[in-house]
């Protein structure tokens, strides 16, 4: 009560003064309301038209690599060693059996070069083997000629014995007729018994002579049979010995070739063509089976690129679709992208073995998850990609990537795609 009496102004006046405006309120606008409304309606119409009639194509970036067709021939190292010399350069034309590399595979110990000593030993054995073969052939020829001479001698003796035996047989028959006549003469008492006995003795001598000639002829025949048999046996024995010696000689030659390969050998081009790549350099250590170079048999090769399409994108890709290809060696920020056409898409996923044959396949990448991948081959619009009228040097194995264009939908479908997922998640069983 005392406080209200001490105040100079009434409380109602103080509250009114505190809540009152210090000035007059004036409302004004720079743009008419109908223009604002028209602008909002126009923007809303454009937005609705855009999401209704506008389309967007989903795309995916897939990695791959360049392949050359016909594919270059890979040349491998036949034995481990060190590359001593290179004879060709990339892009050079070579003929068949042209040397590409010289590789040294020699082993040196405290006792010297092992391979060189082995080569010298094998060569000495080859010299001895040659001498043995020549001696066997000479002995064969000498012994067989000797047997042939004996066969010729016995042939002549057999001919003579046959003539003599024929003459003796004729004489024996004549003496037998004479003896028969003497026996008749004796019965007629025209000759004495001594004369008859003398005729009988002469007949027996002639008969004995004929028997001797007959057995001599038979002996000549048997001797010829034995000599011919000896000729065949000796010939077969010498042929067997010569074959064994020649087989040993061939083994020594093979051993020498292997020793020379272990010492130093040349890697030759298996065909005429162009050197596409040289994998190793001079002084590099290589193992048996390592790739040394690639040679293509056709300078006008077609360039393709192989990509590994994931299974989520496979249903939207078909032959004849266009893709944008980029080369990692030629950054697309400078060189741009290159047009390509899909010429083949596998219908079944690629096997792990097939994926492992490509350096830039998913199984050889950093990803540890191996899904289903489909081999997709893309052909470039031009046989050789160009940049500002300059041909780009493209080789097999170059890393590439491509933009694959998948499904095309209106924008509103992409906007409402989460709703489709919700709808699918709450949907009941599908009845066909």
């Amino acid at each position: 009560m005392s406080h209200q009496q001490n105040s100079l102004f009434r409380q109602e006046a103080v509250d009114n003064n505190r809540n009152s405006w210090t000035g007059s309120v004036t409302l004004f606008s720079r743009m008419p309301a109908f223009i604002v409304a028209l602008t909002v309606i126009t923007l809303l119409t454009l937005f609705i038209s855009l999401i209704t009639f506008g389309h967007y194509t989903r795309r995916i970036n897939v990695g791959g690599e360049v392949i050359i067709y016909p594919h270059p021939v890979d040349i491998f190292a036949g034995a481990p060693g060190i590359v001593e010399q290179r004879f060709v350069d990339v892009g050079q034309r070579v003929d068949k059996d042209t040397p590409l590399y010289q590789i040294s595979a020699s082993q040196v110990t405290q006792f010297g070069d092992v391979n060189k000593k082995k080569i010298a030993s094998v060569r000495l054995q080859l010299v001895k083997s040659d001498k043995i073969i020549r001696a066997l052939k000479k002995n064969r020829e000498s012994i067989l000629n000797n047997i042939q001479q004996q066969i010729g001698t016995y042939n002549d003796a057999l001919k003579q014995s046959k003539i003599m035996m024929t003459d003796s047989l004729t004489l024996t028959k004549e003496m037998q007729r004479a003896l028969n006549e003497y026996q008749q003469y004796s019965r007629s008492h025209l000759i004495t018994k001594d004369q008859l006995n003398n005729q009988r003795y002469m007949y027996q001598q002639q008969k004995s002579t004929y028997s001797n000639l007959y057995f001599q002829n038979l002996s000549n025949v048997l001797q010829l049979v034995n000599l011919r048999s000896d000729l065949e046996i000796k010939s077969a024995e010498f042929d067997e010995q010569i074959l064994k010696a020649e087989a040993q000689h061939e083994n020594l030659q093979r051993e020498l070739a292997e020793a020379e390969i272990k010492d130093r050998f040349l890697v030759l081009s298996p065909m005429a063509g162009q050197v596409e790549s040289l994998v190793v350099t001079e002084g590099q250590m290589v193992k048996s089976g390592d790739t040394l170079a690639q040679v293509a048999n056709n300078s006008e090769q077609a360039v393709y690129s192989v990509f590994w399409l994931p299974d989520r994108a496979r249903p939207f890709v078909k032959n004849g679709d266009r893709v944008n290809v980029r080369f990692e060696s030629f950054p697309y920020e400078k060189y741009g992208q290159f047009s390509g056409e899909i010429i083949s898409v596998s219908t079944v996923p690629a096997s792990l073995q097939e994926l492992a044959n490509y350096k830039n396949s998913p199984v050889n990448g950093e990803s540890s998850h191996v899904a289903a991948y489909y081999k997709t081959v893309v052909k470039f619009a031009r046989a050789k990609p160009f940049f500002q009228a300059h041909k780009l040097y493209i080789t097999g194995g170059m890393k590439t990537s491509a933009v694959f264009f998948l499904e095309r939908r209106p924008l509103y479908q992409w906007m409402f795609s989460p709703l489709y997922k919700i709808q699918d998640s709450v949907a009941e069983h599908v009845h066909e």
Side-chain angles (χ1 to χ4, degrees), residues 162-172 206 210 213:
K162 284 182 177 181
I163 295 173
M164 294 175 64
M165 188 178 66
T166 301
D167 294 341
S168 178
L169 179 62
T170 303
L171 184 59
T172 302
Q206 182 60 36
Y210 172 76
L213 291 174

Side-chain angles (χ1 to χ4, degrees), residues 81-85 102 280-286:
I82 299 175
V83 179
E84 284 189 342
Q85 190 174 358
Q102 178 175 300
V280 296
T281 58
E282 295 179 357
Q284 184 174 344
M285 181 71 183
V286 296

Side-chain angles (χ1 to χ4, degrees), residues 327-376:
F327 294 95
E328 188 169 307
S329 302
F330 307 103
Y332 74 94
E333 293 86 355
K334 176 181 178 181
Y335 293 91
Q337 302 182 102
F338 301 90
S339 176
E341 179 184 352
I342 299 175
I343 61 173
S344 69
V345 185
S346 63
T347 56
V348 295
S351 63
L352 292 178
Q353 181 179 2
E354 183 179 9
L355 290 170
N357 292 331
Y358 293 85
K359 295 181 291 185
N360 298 316
S361 64
V363 297
N364 293 327
E366 299 177 356
S367 176
S368 59
H369 174 70
V370 180
Y373 294 96
Y374 296 82
K375 184 178 180 181
T376 305

